[in-house]
Amino acid sequence: MRHNLARARQCAPAAKAWAVVKADAYGHGLAAAMQGFEAADGLALIEFEQASRLRALGWDKPILMLEGAFDSEDVQTACDLNLSLVVHQPLQIDWLERRDGSRQIAVFLKYNSGMNRLGFETQEFKMAYARLLKADVVRSISLATHFANSDLPGGADDALMRFDEASRGLTGERCLSNSAAVLAVPRAHRDAVRPGIMLYGATPFADRSAAQLELQPAMQLRSRLIAVRRLSIGDSVGYGSTFVADKPMRIGVVACGYADGYPRHAPTGTPIAVEGLRTRTLGRVAMDMLMVDLDPVGTVDVGASVELWGQRVPIDEVAQSAGTIGYELMCALAPRVPRKVIG
Ligand SMILES: *Cc1c(COP(=O)(O)O)cnc(C)c1O
């Protein structure tokens, strides 16, 4: 995490860095992330309970709530805990206007630059800004947007143009860039960036690996072989018998399945490592187990260490094999998996 944050800073040296820790730090654990991102200028997330936890754990630098307040009580919490709020719709401004200026907070006014999810359109953006200027509870106004396509070449161009047009003449720090824009769109860096996925060592791009981006995996998912057996020609493996041996072979049974967050959609051939050597999964992933081909691995036995993803097997490769992205696998790590924080 430290390395990856330093890498984000190297990409955007003049910008402040918000480390995004939503969804329990993309499944890595909030407390661990708080330590790993000690050097960040602030932490950004969605969940108010987790923001309270960060304050209780001693994080006294800024915290940015990426979807802002969900109700007026959240505005109260924001004032009590000094949380910065994204403002993406008029109702949130109503809640702010009802408060006095005894405890002021920073707000980030969000512009809809083409995602068509959250944020104000050009005309309303200026009106919202004017309302926030007059609200006593508002200490400062920053201007933000979120890119729909910054992972594609030129994909942020149109959004940037629209944002610059809509925000012309408005003062305030600009905060636009997710990981893909941090890595690939220097002119979007502006005053502050919001990297997420890159800080955990996965790639935001379909065609560039985390290693090529000089990122290091923050998470390693490990288990062991709990059984080893031989297959004869014609023997099948697992539910539905989707894999059938076409030669005599040795296979291993790994204590990890979809109840641990390993994707059930990962087909035969998904990369996995046994005792540090890469091989492939065989057959359907079950709730608590999956099977591996031991032929490329040699003489290993019950108890052999297995890496589901991490150093030897990039999470992005497992994700691609399962038809998803590294983000989803990280976030889906199940509570029953014992966690150990290293470093
Ligand atoms: C999740 C999120 C980010 C981080 O995105 P990555 O692609 O993980 O870098 C940045 N900004 C907002 C508003 C987000 O919701």
Side-chain angles (χ1 to χ4, degrees), residues 18 20-22 26 44-46 64 66-67 86 110 117-118 144-147 150 175-182 193-200 204 327:
W18 294 96
V20 179
V21 296
K22 61 189 176 191
Y26 291 50
L45 74 175
I46 304 284
L64 172 59
L66 291 167
E67 289 178 3
V86 161
K110 184 160 186 168
R117 210 172 56 171
L118 300 183
T145 195
H146 189 52
F147 298 125
S150 54
C175 179
L176 317 179
S177 295
N178 55 4
S179 296
V182 168
V193 294
R194 303 185 307 269
I197 194 71
M198 70 177 292
L199 302 182
Y200 304 98
Y327 295 76

Side-chain angles (χ1 to χ4, degrees), residues 46 48 51-52 65 67-107 132 135-139:
I46 304 284
F48 278 78
S52 301
M65 306 310 294
E67 289 178 3
F70 297 91
D71 53 40
S72 62
E73 271 170 47
D74 287 344
V75 177
Q76 174 74 51
T77 306
C79 291
D80 292 344
L81 300 177
N82 189 25
L83 311 177
S84 306
L85 294 179
V86 161
V87 171
H88 63 79
Q89 59 133 323
L91 189 57
Q92 293 175 321
I93 307 181
D94 297 344
W95 299 332
L96 288 166
E97 283 173 340
R98 281 190 222 134
R99 301 197 55 89
D100 64 24
S102 56
R103 286 180 148 178
Q104 291 186 309
I105 54 170
V107 300
L132 289 171
D136 294 332
V137 72
V138 172
R139 184 170 61 222

Side-chain angles (χ1 to χ4, degrees), residues 250-262:
R250 246 176 127 231
I251 67 163
V253 179
V254 182
C256 182
Y258 60 78
D260 300 292
Y262 193 89

Side-chain angles (χ1 to χ4, degrees), residues 35-49:
Q35 284 182 280
F37 304 140
E38 211 167 34
D41 294 288
L43 299 177
L45 74 175
I46 304 284
E47 310 87 352
F48 278 78
E49 265 187 33

Side-chain angles (χ1 to χ4, degrees), residues 110-291:
K110 184 160 186 168
Y111 177 68
N112 172 25
S113 59
M115 178 92 84
N116 289 314
R117 210 172 56 171
L118 300 183
F120 293 90
E121 309 299 319
T122 302
Q123 275 312 309
E124 294 106 60
F125 190 62
K126 295 226 157 80
M127 274 156 30
Y129 187 94
R131 279 181 73 188
L132 289 171
L133 265 183
K134 286 189 238 144
D136 294 332
V137 72
V138 172
R139 184 170 61 222
S140 63
I141 309 172
S142 299
L143 306 175
T145 195
H146 189 52
F147 298 125
N149 297 305
S150 54
D151 55 324
L152 305 173
D157 291 355
D158 185 58
L160 263 178
M161 204 173 68
R162 291 203 228 175
F163 173 82
D164 285 339
E165 176 74 33
S167 59
R168 186 170 303 137
L170 304 181
T171 55
E173 287 188 358
R174 269 66 171 164
C175 179
L176 317 179
S177 295
N178 55 4
S179 296
V182 168
L183 290 159
V185 193
R187 70 201 170 87
H189 291 167
R190 310 291 167 96
D191 302 298
V193 294
R194 303 185 307 269
I197 194 71
M198 70 177 292
L199 302 182
Y200 304 98
T203 182
F205 303 111
D207 56 358
R208 261 181 291 172
S209 71
Q212 285 170 326
L213 299 167
E214 295 172 55
L215 303 171
Q216 292 176 11
M219 181 193 292
Q220 186 190 39
L221 179 60
R222 286 193 329 209
S223 186
R224 290 187 184 285
L225 295 187
I226 56 169
V228 168
R229 61 195 327 115
R230 282 179 194 288
L231 299 185
S232 306
I233 296 175
D235 286 346
S236 64
V237 174
Y239 288 117
S241 300
T242 60
F243 176 81
V244 181
D246 61 3
K247 58 179 185 344
M249 60 191 296
R250 246 176 127 231
I251 67 163
V253 179
V254 182
C256 182
Y258 60 78
D260 300 292
Y262 193 89
R264 184 177 171 279
H265 286 102
T268 291
T270 300
I272 187 166
V274 179
E275 289 293 344
L277 296 171
R278 280 175 61 116
T279 176
R280 57 176 183 148
T281 63
L282 299 176
R284 274 198 197 141
V285 174
M287 187 183 287
D288 313 297
M289 283 172 263
L290 55 83
M291 275 63 87

